[in-house]
């Protein structure tokens, strides 16, 4: 059996896989975490804007704190769905590489195939959607309880408006 402590596991991994055994999943880990985090923030912000523009029947400033938190939760869940989708193949690779001694990313992709990389996506969507929604809800809820200001929705920079021909003359 594999040792359950760092004291026992470290020398075993070092002896069997060398120093690279500790870092073999770093690239897929980054491949999961970087798109996941980018999607979490970008999608959340855009979804909040879209919900207020197209779903909520009144401006954000006129919404109660509770109504704003419902929008936060919904936007967080939607962002979580996209987070799960963009990070799932890399997460599958990380899991596979941690189990398969001596395997590289290329080997893992060949063994898993397209379907294997996407297997288990639906449960992951439910899990990540819920977790992301709760993270945003807690974050916004704490800000509401502490009376901290919430930033206004972002606006397009004037230089970009001019470049795109959207600036009002």
């Amino acid at each position: 059996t594999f040792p359950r402590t760092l004291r026992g596991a470290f020398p075993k991994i070092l002896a069997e896989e060398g120093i690279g055994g500790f870092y073999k999943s770093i690239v897929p880990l980054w491949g999961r975490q970087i798109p996941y985090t980018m999607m979490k923030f970008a999608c959340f912000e855009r979804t909040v804007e879209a919900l207020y523009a197209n779903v909520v029947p009144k401006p954000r400033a006129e919404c109660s704190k509770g109504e704003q938190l419902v929008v936060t939760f919904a936007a967080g869940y939607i962002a979580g769905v996209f987070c799960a989708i963009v990070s799932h193949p890399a997460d599958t690779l990380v899991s596979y590489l941690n189990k398969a001694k001596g395997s590289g990313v290329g080997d893992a992709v060949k063994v898993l195939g397209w379907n294997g990389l996407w297997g288990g996506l639906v449960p992951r969507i439910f899990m990540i959607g819920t977790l992301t929604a709760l993270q945003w809800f807690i974050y916004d809820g704490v800000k509401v309880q502490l009376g901290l200001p919430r930033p206004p929705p972002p606006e397009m920079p004037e230089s970009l408006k001019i470049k795109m021909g959207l600036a009002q003359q």
Side-chain angles (χ1 to χ4, degrees), residues 106-158:
D107 301 326
V109 170
K110 285 178 188 171
V111 170
L112 292 168
W114 180 258
N115 289 340
L117 287 172
W118 291 100
L121 178 61
V122 173
R124 183 173 164 81
I125 284 173
F126 284 111
M127 179 186 74
I128 299 298
T130 304
L131 289 172
T132 304
L134 289 171
Q135 287 170 344
W136 283 114
F137 184 81
I138 291 167
Y139 172 75
D140 242 10
V142 168
K143 287 176 74 173
V144 166
Q145 290 301 316
L146 296 177
L148 298 174
R150 299 177 69 210
E155 290 187 23
M156 185 182 294
E158 193 62 33

